[in-house]
Amino acid sequence: MPDRPPVFDDREDAVLTDAVAALVESERALAELEAARVVQFAAAMRVALERSKHRPRAVQEREMALRSIAAEIGVALRWNDRAVQRRLGEAVQLVDDFPATLQALAEARISARHVAVIRDLGVELDDPATRASFESRVIERAATDTVAGTRAFARALLEELHPVSISERFARAEQQRRVWIDDDVDGMARLGVLDGAAKIRAMYDRLTRQARAIRAVPRPEGTDAPDAVDDRRTIDQVRADLLCDLVLTGQPAIDATTDTLPGGLGAIRAHVSVVVPALTAAGASDRGASIDGRSPIDADTARRLLAGAPAWERVVTHPVTRAMLAVDRYRPSPAIQRFVRARDVHCRFPGCRQPARRCDLDHNHDHARGGPTAADNLACLCTRHHTLKTETPWTARQGPDGTIEWTSPLGRSVTDRPHRYLAFAPEPDPPPF
């Protein structure tokens, strides 16, 4: 007897129907709101463009007005100002070059993710008429297809309409190759690579082949054998472990720096700063530590790094107030510098996490105007935000404990407080014997 189809409860069907209808309505409302937000971002961008007309070209390529407005919006929305600046540029581009796409979004015929596909691919077409044709055809497809399906259609259409051959475009695009990192949760992070598709796929294929070879190694008979290998890793886990092994221990195939760097490129090792609470370092707590004050890591990893670090800094804090009292390290550097970098961990502009070792030490009260070179008047600022503070009306007022109150050109105030941890940083040179 064939199986009978399952019978569903009418009440469950009613609940599901209502939920689907509500989701459709939410999607429509979100699309309308996103279209309105694009218009608002574009309006702010036009203010920045208008203000930059009156700035000398020598001042950071007339970008200070844009940076200041991006920081103003970022503080208000609790966004990173670099992300805001990117959104400002995308918004004005969408308004000017893709008006039909923005209209389709405002009418909720497509989603914000569809819009991103149209903009990211359509920007390759410089001719307005060709771009408009591309836009119209992709919008028609997006109105009835998923984002993935729309992207595949748009890529094929772009190849059809693009006036430049793929070979020429690849030669230009290859100049944008890069590596980046994104933090994840639970002590994890992602490493991204943008390079030629052939190389990336070849790298993935090699990792896959190596991983399969490892998993294909036969285990000795008898699970109690002393040399038995019980490898329970998935193929993805083996690929990840292989990549880490190759990057961290492998020798570069091309080593052009042997004459200038002892040992060449192969002698270079990863250099990160690790921040860990004192109780965790002592083994009395498992409270997590972090890399450069950004990426959380587990306590066991932090203690292993501490044990193997050839140089480290210790931050001594008051037992009650936890205010910093002193700093020392195996190889001393100027006391004020190591104090401030240990205290700040990263750039002190709200939302920025550029590691302190890559930042400038800035006088909050300008030294030329009588500001002292002291820990309570110095803070770590990355080049972007150091320039922003110097060239725009943004101001910073620093308290004795390192707390900084930032005030934007529109009068918005936000407070950034320093970390209070024990920190250690591996050095490239080994300690003396």
Side-chain angles (χ1 to χ4, degrees), residues 147-230:
V147 173
T150 301
R151 182 180 294 108
F153 174 82
R155 282 176 174 165
L157 182 59
L158 178 64
E159 290 302 319
E160 175 187 324
L161 299 176
H162 208 294
V164 182
S165 71
I166 182 63
S167 297
E168 294 178 66
R169 283 159 32 221
F170 173 74
R172 182 175 66 247
E174 193 179 26
Q175 303 304 313
Q176 306 303 317
R177 61 190 183 275
R178 64 190 179 97
V179 175
W180 70 95
I181 187 169
D182 289 323
D183 293 326
D184 205 331
V185 297
D186 300 329
M188 305 293 281
R190 295 184 179 90
L191 183 70
V193 183
L194 178 65
D195 209 320
K199 284 192 286 184
I200 295 296
R201 291 191 175 276
M203 289 162 57
Y204 187 81
D205 179 71
R206 187 186 183 204
L207 290 172
T208 300
R209 288 171 179 267
Q210 289 178 331
R212 287 174 176 166
I214 290 173
R215 286 178 52 84
V217 173
R219 294 171 55 192
E221 295 183 3
T223 56
D224 295 332
D227 56 348
V229 177
D230 187 14

Coordinates of all heavy atoms in Angstrom, one line a residue, residues 147-230:
V147 N 18.8 35.9 -5.2 CA 20.0 36.8 -5.3 C 21.1 36.0 -6.1 O 21.7 36.5 -7.0 CB 20.6 37.2 -3.9 CG1 21.9 37.9 -4.1 CG2 19.6 38.1 -3.2
A148 N 21.3 34.7 -5.7 CA 22.3 33.9 -6.4 C 21.9 33.7 -7.9 O 22.8 33.8 -8.8 CB 22.4 32.5 -5.8
G149 N 20.7 33.5 -8.2 CA 20.3 33.4 -9.6 C 20.4 34.7 -10.4 O 20.9 34.7 -11.5
T150 N 20.1 35.8 -9.7 CA 20.3 37.1 -10.3 C 21.8 37.4 -10.6 O 22.1 37.9 -11.6 CB 19.7 38.2 -9.4 OG1 18.3 37.9 -9.2 CG2 19.9 39.6 -10.0
R151 N 22.6 37.0 -9.6 CA 24.1 37.2 -9.8 C 24.6 36.4 -11.0 O 25.4 37.0 -11.8 CB 24.8 36.9 -8.6 CG 26.3 37.1 -8.7 CD 27.1 36.8 -7.4 NE 26.7 37.6 -6.3 CZ 25.9 37.2 -5.2 NH1 25.5 35.9 -5.2 NH2 25.6 38.0 -4.3
A152 N 24.2 35.2 -11.2 CA 24.7 34.4 -12.3 C 24.2 35.0 -13.6 O 25.0 35.1 -14.6 CB 24.2 32.9 -12.1
F153 N 22.9 35.4 -13.7 CA 22.4 36.0 -14.9 C 23.1 37.3 -15.2 O 23.5 37.6 -16.3 CB 20.9 36.3 -14.7 CG 20.3 37.1 -15.8 CD1 19.9 36.4 -17.0 CD2 20.1 38.5 -15.7 CE1 19.3 37.2 -18.0 CE2 19.5 39.2 -16.8 CZ 19.1 38.5 -17.9
A154 N 23.4 38.1 -14.1 CA 24.0 39.4 -14.3 C 25.5 39.3 -14.8 O 25.9 40.0 -15.7 CB 24.0 40.2 -13.0
R155 N 26.2 38.3 -14.3 CA 27.5 38.0 -14.8 C 27.6 37.6 -16.2 O 28.4 38.1 -17.0 CB 28.2 36.9 -13.9 CG 28.6 37.4 -12.5 CD 29.1 36.3 -11.7 NE 29.7 36.7 -10.4 CZ 30.0 36.0 -9.4 NH1 29.7 34.7 -9.5 NH2 30.5 36.5 -8.3
A156 N 26.7 36.8 -16.6 CA 26.6 36.4 -18.0 C 26.3 37.6 -18.9 O 26.9 37.8 -20.0 CB 25.6 35.2 -18.2
L157 N 25.3 38.4 -18.5 CA 24.9 39.6 -19.2 C 26.1 40.6 -19.3 O 26.3 41.2 -20.4 CB 23.7 40.2 -18.6 CG 23.1 41.4 -19.3 CD1 22.7 41.1 -20.8 CD2 21.9 42.0 -18.5
L158 N 26.8 40.7 -18.2 CA 28.0 41.6 -18.2 C 29.0 41.2 -19.3 O 29.5 42.1 -20.0 CB 28.6 41.7 -16.8 CG 29.8 42.6 -16.7 CD1 29.5 44.0 -16.9 CD2 30.5 42.4 -15.3
E159 N 29.3 39.9 -19.4 CA 30.2 39.5 -20.4 C 29.7 39.8 -21.8 O 30.5 40.1 -22.7 CB 30.4 38.0 -20.2 CG 31.2 37.6 -19.0 CD 32.6 38.3 -19.0 OE1 33.3 38.3 -20.0 OE2 33.0 38.7 -17.9
E160 N 28.4 39.7 -22.0 CA 27.8 40.0 -23.3 C 27.9 41.5 -23.7 O 28.2 41.8 -24.8 CB 26.3 39.6 -23.3 CG 25.5 39.9 -24.5 CD 24.1 39.6 -24.3 OE1 23.7 38.6 -23.6 OE2 23.2 40.3 -24.9
L161 N 27.8 42.3 -22.7 CA 27.7 43.8 -23.0 C 29.0 44.5 -22.8 O 29.2 45.6 -23.3 CB 26.7 44.4 -22.0 CG 25.2 44.0 -22.2 CD1 24.3 44.6 -21.2 CD2 24.7 44.2 -23.6
H162 N 30.0 43.9 -22.1 CA 31.2 44.6 -21.7 C 32.0 44.9 -23.0 O 32.3 44.0 -23.8 CB 32.0 43.8 -20.7 CG 32.9 44.7 -19.8 ND1 33.9 45.4 -20.3 CD2 32.8 44.9 -18.5 CE1 34.5 46.1 -19.3 NE2 33.8 45.8 -18.2
P163 N 32.5 46.2 -23.1 CA 33.2 46.5 -24.3 C 34.7 46.1 -24.3 O 35.4 46.1 -25.3 CB 33.2 48.0 -24.4 CG 33.0 48.4 -22.9 CD 32.2 47.3 -22.3
V164 N 35.2 45.7 -23.1 CA 36.6 45.3 -22.9 C 36.6 43.8 -22.7 O 35.8 43.2 -22.0 CB 37.2 46.0 -21.7 CG1 38.7 45.6 -21.6 CG2 37.1 47.5 -21.9
S165 N 37.6 43.1 -23.3 CA 37.7 41.7 -23.2 C 38.1 41.2 -21.8 O 38.6 42.0 -21.0 CB 38.8 41.2 -24.2 OG 40.1 41.5 -23.7
I166 N 37.8 40.0 -21.5 CA 38.0 39.5 -20.1 C 39.5 39.5 -19.9 O 40.0 39.7 -18.7 CB 37.4 38.0 -20.0 CG1 37.7 37.5 -18.6 CG2 38.0 37.1 -21.0 CD1 37.0 38.3 -17.5
S167 N 40.4 39.3 -20.9 CA 41.8 39.3 -20.7 C 42.3 40.6 -20.2 O 43.1 40.7 -19.2 CB 42.5 38.9 -22.0 OG 42.2 37.6 -22.3
E168 N 41.8 41.7 -20.8 CA 42.2 43.0 -20.4 C 41.7 43.3 -19.0 O 42.4 43.9 -18.2 CB 41.7 44.1 -21.4 CG 42.3 43.9 -22.8 CD 41.8 45.0 -23.8 OE1 42.0 46.2 -23.6 OE2 41.0 44.6 -24.7
R169 N 40.5 43.0 -18.8 CA 39.9 43.3 -17.5 C 40.6 42.5 -16.3 O 40.8 43.0 -15.2 CB 38.4 42.9 -17.5 CG 37.6 44.0 -18.2 CD 36.3 43.6 -18.7 NE 35.6 42.7 -17.8 CZ 34.9 41.6 -18.4 NH1 34.8 41.5 -19.7 NH2 34.3 40.8 -17.6
F170 N 41.0 41.2 -16.6 CA 41.7 40.5 -15.6 C 43.0 41.1 -15.3 O 43.4 41.2 -14.1 CB 41.9 39.0 -16.1 CG 42.8 38.2 -15.2 CD1 42.3 37.8 -14.0 CD2 44.1 37.9 -15.5 CE1 43.1 37.0 -13.1 CE2 44.9 37.2 -14.7 CZ 44.4 36.7 -13.5
A171 N 43.8 41.6 -16.3 CA 45.1 42.2 -16.1 C 44.9 43.4 -15.1 O 45.8 43.7 -14.3 CB 45.7 42.6 -17.4
R172 N 43.8 44.1 -15.3 CA 43.5 45.3 -14.4 C 43.1 44.8 -13.0 O 43.5 45.3 -12.0 CB 42.5 46.2 -15.0 CG 42.2 47.5 -14.2 CD 41.3 48.4 -14.9 NE 39.9 47.8 -15.1 CZ 39.4 47.5 -16.3 NH1 40.1 47.6 -17.4 NH2 38.2 46.9 -16.3
A173 N 42.2 43.9 -13.0 CA 41.6 43.4 -11.7 C 42.7 42.7 -10.8 O 42.6 42.8 -9.6 CB 40.5 42.4 -12.0
E174 N 43.7 42.1 -11.5 CA 44.7 41.4 -10.7 C 45.5 42.3 -9.9 O 46.1 41.9 -8.9 CB 45.6 40.6 -11.7 CG 46.5 39.6 -11.0 CD 47.4 38.9 -12.0 OE1 47.7 39.4 -13.0 OE2 47.8 37.7 -11.6
Q175 N 45.5 43.6 -10.2 CA 46.2 44.6 -9.4 C 45.6 44.8 -8.0 O 46.2 45.4 -7.1 CB 46.3 45.9 -10.1 CG 47.0 45.8 -11.5 CD 48.4 45.2 -11.4 OE1 49.2 45.6 -10.6 NE2 48.7 44.3 -12.3
Q176 N 44.3 44.3 -7.9 CA 43.6 44.5 -6.6 C 43.7 43.3 -5.7 O 43.0 43.2 -4.7 CB 42.1 44.7 -6.9 CG 41.8 45.9 -7.9 CD 42.4 47.2 -7.4 OE1 42.3 47.5 -6.2 NE2 43.0 47.9 -8.3
R177 N 44.6 42.4 -6.0 CA 44.7 41.2 -5.2 C 45.1 41.6 -3.8 O 46.0 42.5 -3.6 CB 45.7 40.2 -5.8 CG 47.1 40.7 -6.0 CD 47.9 39.7 -6.8 NE 49.3 40.1 -6.9 CZ 49.8 41.0 -7.9 NH1 48.9 41.5 -8.7 NH2 51.0 41.3 -7.9
R178 N 44.6 40.9 -2.8 CA 44.9 41.2 -1.4 C 44.5 40.1 -0.5 O 43.9 39.1 -0.9 CB 44.1 42.5 -1.0 CG 42.6 42.3 -1.0 CD 41.9 43.7 -0.9 NE 40.4 43.5 -0.9 CZ 39.6 43.4 0.2 NH1 40.2 43.5 1.4 NH2 38.3 43.3 0.1
V179 N 44.9 40.3 0.8 CA 44.5 39.3 1.9 C 43.9 40.2 3.0 O 44.4 41.3 3.3 CB 45.7 38.6 2.4 CG1 45.4 37.7 3.6 CG2 46.3 37.7 1.3
W180 N 42.9 39.7 3.6 CA 42.3 40.4 4.7 C 41.8 39.5 5.8 O 41.7 38.2 5.6 CB 41.1 41.3 4.2 CG 39.9 40.6 3.8 CD1 38.8 40.2 4.5 CD2 39.7 40.0 2.5 NE1 37.9 39.5 3.7 CE2 38.4 39.4 2.5 CE3 40.4 40.0 1.3 CZ2 37.9 38.8 1.4 CZ3 39.9 39.4 0.2 CH2 38.6 38.8 0.2
I181 N 41.4 40.0 6.9 CA 41.0 39.2 8.1 C 39.7 39.8 8.6 O 39.5 41.0 8.7 CB 42.0 39.1 9.2 CG1 41.6 38.1 10.3 CG2 42.3 40.5 9.8 CD1 42.8 37.9 11.2
D182 N 38.7 38.9 9.0 CA 37.5 39.2 9.6 C 37.4 38.4 10.9 O 37.6 37.2 10.9 CB 36.3 38.9 8.7 CG 36.2 39.9 7.5 OD1 36.5 41.1 7.7 OD2 35.8 39.4 6.4
D183 N 37.0 39.1 12.0 CA 36.8 38.4 13.3 C 35.5 37.6 13.3 O 34.5 38.1 12.7 CB 36.8 39.4 14.4 CG 38.2 40.0 14.6 OD1 39.2 39.3 14.3 OD2 38.3 41.2 15.0
D184 N 35.5 36.5 14.0 CA 34.3 35.7 14.2 C 34.1 35.6 15.7 O 34.7 36.3 16.4 CB 34.5 34.3 13.5 CG 33.2 33.7 13.1 OD1 32.2 34.0 13.8 OD2 33.1 33.0 12.1
V185 N 33.2 34.7 16.1 CA 32.9 34.5 17.5 C 33.7 33.3 18.0 O 34.3 32.5 17.3 CB 31.4 34.3 17.7 CG1 30.7 35.6 17.3 CG2 30.9 33.1 16.9
D186 N 33.7 33.2 19.3 CA 34.3 32.0 20.0 C 35.7 31.8 19.7 O 36.3 30.7 19.6 CB 33.5 30.7 19.6 CG 32.0 30.7 20.0 OD1 31.7 31.4 21.0 OD2 31.2 30.1 19.3
G187 N 36.5 32.9 19.7 CA 37.9 32.9 19.5 C 38.3 32.5 18.0 O 39.5 32.2 17.8
M188 N 37.4 32.7 17.1 CA 37.8 32.3 15.7 C 37.9 33.6 14.8 O 37.4 34.6 15.2 CB 36.7 31.4 15.1 CG 36.4 30.1 15.9 SD 37.8 29.0 15.9 CE 37.6 28.2 14.3
A189 N 38.5 33.4 13.6 CA 38.6 34.5 12.7 C 38.6 33.9 11.3 O 38.9 32.7 11.1 CB 39.8 35.4 12.9
R190 N 38.3 34.7 10.3 CA 38.4 34.3 8.9 C 39.5 35.0 8.1 O 39.7 36.2 8.3 CB 37.1 34.6 8.2 CG 35.9 33.9 8.7 CD 34.6 34.2 7.8 NE 33.4 33.5 8.3 CZ 32.6 34.0 9.2 NH1 32.8 35.2 9.8 NH2 31.5 33.3 9.6
L191 N 40.2 34.3 7.3 CA 41.3 34.8 6.5 C 40.8 34.8 5.0 O 40.5 33.7 4.5 CB 42.6 34.0 6.6 CG 43.8 34.6 5.8 CD1 44.3 35.9 6.4 CD2 44.9 33.6 5.8
G192 N 40.7 36.0 4.4 CA 40.2 36.0 3.0 C 41.3 36.3 2.0 O 42.3 37.1 2.4
V193 N 41.2 35.8 0.8 CA 42.2 36.0 -0.2 C 41.5 36.4 -1.5 O 40.6 35.7 -1.9 CB 43.1 34.8 -0.4 CG1 44.2 35.1 -1.5 CG2 43.8 34.3 0.9
L194 N 41.9 37.5 -2.1 CA 41.4 37.8 -3.5 C 42.5 37.8 -4.5 O 43.5 38.5 -4.3 CB 40.8 39.2 -3.5 CG 40.3 39.8 -4.8 CD1 39.1 38.9 -5.3 CD2 39.9 41.2 -4.7
D195 N 42.4 36.9 -5.4 CA 43.5 36.7 -6.4 C 42.9 36.1 -7.7 O 41.6 35.8 -7.7 CB 44.6 35.9 -5.9 CG 46.0 36.3 -6.5 OD1 46.0 36.5 -7.7 OD2 47.0 36.3 -5.8
G196 N 43.7 35.8 -8.6 CA 43.2 35.1 -9.9 C 42.4 33.9 -9.6 O 42.8 33.0 -8.7
A197 N 41.3 33.7 -10.3 CA 40.5 32.5 -10.0 C 41.2 31.2 -10.2 O 41.1 30.2 -9.5 CB 39.2 32.5 -11.0
A198 N 42.1 31.2 -11.2 CA 42.9 29.9 -11.5 C 43.8 29.6 -10.3 O 43.9 28.4 -9.9 CB 43.8 30.1 -12.7
K199 N 44.5 30.6 -9.7 CA 45.3 30.3 -8.6 C 44.5 29.9 -7.4 O 44.9 29.0 -6.6 CB 46.2 31.6 -8.3 CG 47.3 31.8 -9.2 CD 48.3 32.8 -8.7 CE 47.7 34.2 -8.9 NZ 48.7 35.3 -8.5
I200 N 43.4 30.6 -7.1 CA 42.6 30.3 -5.9 C 42.1 28.9 -6.0 O 42.1 28.2 -5.0 CB 41.5 31.4 -5.8 CG1 42.1 32.8 -5.5 CG2 40.5 30.9 -4.7 CD1 42.8 32.9 -4.2
R201 N 41.5 28.6 -7.2 CA 41.0 27.2 -7.3 C 42.1 26.1 -7.3 O 41.9 25.0 -6.8 CB 40.2 27.1 -8.6 CG 38.9 27.9 -8.6 CD 38.0 27.6 -9.7 NE 36.7 28.3 -9.6 CZ 35.7 27.9 -8.8 NH1 35.8 26.8 -8.2 NH2 34.6 28.6 -8.8
A202 N 43.3 26.5 -7.8 CA 44.4 25.5 -7.7 C 44.8 25.3 -6.3 O 45.1 24.2 -5.8 CB 45.5 26.0 -8.6
M203 N 44.8 26.4 -5.5 CA 45.2 26.3 -4.1 C 44.2 25.4 -3.3 O 44.6 24.6 -2.6 CB 45.2 27.7 -3.4 CG 46.4 28.6 -3.9 SD 46.1 30.3 -3.6 CE 45.8 30.3 -1.8
Y204 N 42.9 25.7 -3.6 CA 41.8 24.9 -3.0 C 41.9 23.4 -3.4 O 41.8 22.5 -2.5 CB 40.5 25.5 -3.3 CG 39.3 24.8 -2.6 CD1 39.0 25.2 -1.3 CD2 38.6 23.8 -3.1 CE1 38.0 24.6 -0.6 CE2 37.5 23.2 -2.5 CZ 37.2 23.6 -1.2 OH 36.2 23.1 -0.5
D205 N 42.2 23.2 -4.6 CA 42.3 21.8 -5.1 C 43.5 21.1 -4.5 O 43.4 19.9 -4.1 CB 42.5 21.8 -6.6 CG 42.6 20.4 -7.2 OD1 41.6 19.7 -7.2 OD2 43.8 20.0 -7.6
R206 N 44.7 21.8 -4.3 CA 45.8 21.2 -3.7 C 45.5 20.9 -2.2 O 45.9 19.8 -1.7 CB 47.0 22.1 -3.8 CG 48.3 21.4 -3.3 CD 49.5 22.4 -3.2 NE 50.7 21.6 -2.8 CZ 51.7 22.2 -2.2 NH1 51.7 23.5 -2.0 NH2 52.8 21.5 -1.9
L207 N 44.9 21.8 -1.5 CA 44.5 21.5 -0.1 C 43.6 20.3 0.0 O 43.7 19.5 0.9 CB 43.9 22.7 0.5 CG 44.8 23.9 0.8 CD1 44.0 25.2 1.2 CD2 45.8 23.6 1.8
T208 N 42.7 20.3 -1.0 CA 41.7 19.1 -1.0 C 42.4 17.8 -1.2 O 42.1 16.8 -0.6 CB 40.6 19.4 -2.0 OG1 39.9 20.6 -1.7 CG2 39.6 18.3 -2.0
R209 N 43.3 17.8 -2.2 CA 44.0 16.6 -2.5 C 44.9 16.1 -1.3 O 44.9 14.9 -1.0 CB 44.9 16.8 -3.8 CG 44.1 16.9 -5.1 CD 45.0 17.3 -6.2 NE 44.3 17.4 -7.5 CZ 44.2 16.4 -8.4 NH1 44.8 15.2 -8.1 NH2 43.5 16.5 -9.5
Q210 N 45.6 17.1 -0.7 CA 46.4 16.7 0.4 C 45.5 16.2 1.6 O 45.9 15.3 2.3 CB 47.2 18.0 0.9 CG 48.3 18.4 -0.1 CD 49.1 19.6 0.3 OE1 48.5 20.5 1.0 NE2 50.3 19.7 -0.1
A211 N 44.4 16.9 1.8 CA 43.5 16.5 2.9 C 43.0 15.1 2.7 O 42.9 14.2 3.6 CB 42.4 17.5 3.0
R212 N 42.6 14.8 1.4 CA 42.1 13.4 1.1 C 43.2 12.4 1.2 O 43.0 11.2 1.7 CB 41.5 13.4 -0.3 CG 40.2 14.1 -0.4 CD 39.7 14.2 -1.9 NE 38.4 14.8 -1.9 CZ 37.9 15.3 -3.1 NH1 38.5 15.2 -4.2 NH2 36.7 15.8 -3.0
A213 N 44.5 12.8 0.9 CA 45.6 11.8 1.0 C 45.8 11.5 2.5 O 46.1 10.4 2.9 CB 46.8 12.4 0.4
I214 N 45.7 12.5 3.4 CA 45.9 12.3 4.8 C 44.8 11.4 5.3 O 45.0 10.5 6.1 CB 45.9 13.7 5.5 CG1 47.2 14.4 5.2 CG2 45.7 13.5 7.0 CD1 47.2 15.8 5.8
R215 N 43.6 11.7 4.9 CA 42.4 10.9 5.4 C 42.4 9.4 4.9 O 41.8 8.6 5.4 CB 41.1 11.6 5.1 CG 40.9 12.8 6.0 CD 39.6 13.5 5.7 NE 38.5 12.7 5.7 CZ 37.8 12.3 6.8 NH1 38.1 12.7 8.0 NH2 36.7 11.5 6.7
A216 N 43.2 9.3 3.8 CA 43.2 7.9 3.1 C 44.3 7.0 3.8 O 44.4 5.9 3.4 CB 43.4 8.1 1.6
V217 N 45.1 7.6 4.6 CA 46.2 6.8 5.2 C 45.6 5.7 6.1 O 44.8 6.0 7.0 CB 47.1 7.7 6.1 CG1 48.1 6.8 6.9 CG2 47.8 8.7 5.2
P218 N 45.9 4.4 5.8 CA 45.2 3.4 6.6 C 45.7 3.4 8.0 O 46.8 3.6 8.3 CB 45.7 2.1 5.9 CG 47.0 2.5 5.2 CD 46.8 3.9 4.8
R219 N 44.8 3.1 8.9 CA 45.1 3.0 10.3 C 45.6 1.6 10.6 O 45.2 0.6 10.1 CB 43.9 3.3 11.2 CG 43.3 4.7 11.1 CD 42.0 4.8 11.7 NE 42.1 4.4 13.1 CZ 41.0 4.2 13.9 NH1 39.8 4.3 13.4 NH2 41.1 3.7 15.1
P220 N 46.6 1.5 11.5 CA 47.1 0.2 11.9 C 46.0 -0.7 12.5 O 45.1 -0.2 13.1 CB 48.2 0.5 12.9 CG 48.6 1.9 12.7 CD 47.3 2.6 12.2
E221 N 46.1 -2.0 12.2 CA 45.1 -2.9 12.8 C 45.2 -2.9 14.3 O 46.2 -2.9 14.9 CB 45.4 -4.3 12.3 CG 45.3 -4.5 10.8 CD 45.5 -5.9 10.3 OE1 45.6 -6.8 11.3 OE2 45.5 -6.2 9.1
G222 N 44.0 -2.9 14.9 CA 43.9 -2.9 16.3 C 43.9 -1.5 16.9 O 44.9 -0.8 16.7
T223 N 42.8 -1.0 17.4 CA 42.8 0.4 17.9 C 43.7 0.7 19.1 O 43.9 1.8 19.4 CB 41.3 0.7 18.3 OG1 40.9 -0.2 19.3 CG2 40.4 0.6 17.1
D224 N 44.2 -0.4 19.7 CA 45.0 -0.2 20.9 C 46.5 -0.1 20.5 O 47.4 0.0 21.4 CB 44.8 -1.3 21.9 CG 43.4 -1.3 22.5 OD1 42.8 -0.2 22.5 OD2 42.9 -2.4 22.9
A225 N 46.8 -0.2 19.2 CA 48.2 -0.2 18.8 C 48.8 1.2 19.2 O 48.2 2.2 19.0 CB 48.3 -0.4 17.3
P226 N 50.1 1.2 19.7 CA 50.7 2.5 20.2 C 50.8 3.5 19.1 O 50.8 4.7 19.3 CB 52.0 2.0 20.7 CG 52.3 0.7 20.1 CD 51.0 0.1 19.9
D227 N 51.0 3.0 17.8 CA 51.2 4.0 16.7 C 49.9 4.2 15.9 O 49.9 4.7 14.8 CB 52.3 3.5 15.8 CG 52.0 2.1 15.2 OD1 51.1 1.5 15.7 OD2 52.7 1.7 14.3
A228 N 48.7 3.8 16.5 CA 47.5 4.0 15.8 C 47.1 5.5 15.7 O 47.3 6.2 16.7 CB 46.4 3.2 16.5
V229 N 46.6 5.9 14.5 CA 46.2 7.3 14.4 C 44.7 7.3 14.2 O 44.1 6.8 13.3 CB 46.9 7.9 13.1 CG1 46.3 9.3 12.9 CG2 48.4 7.9 13.3
D230 N 44.0 7.9 15.2 CA 42.6 8.0 15.1 C 42.2 9.5 14.7 O 41.9 10.3 15.5 CB 42.0 7.7 16.5 CG 40.5 7.6 16.4 OD1 39.9 7.6 15.3 OD2 39.8 7.6 17.5

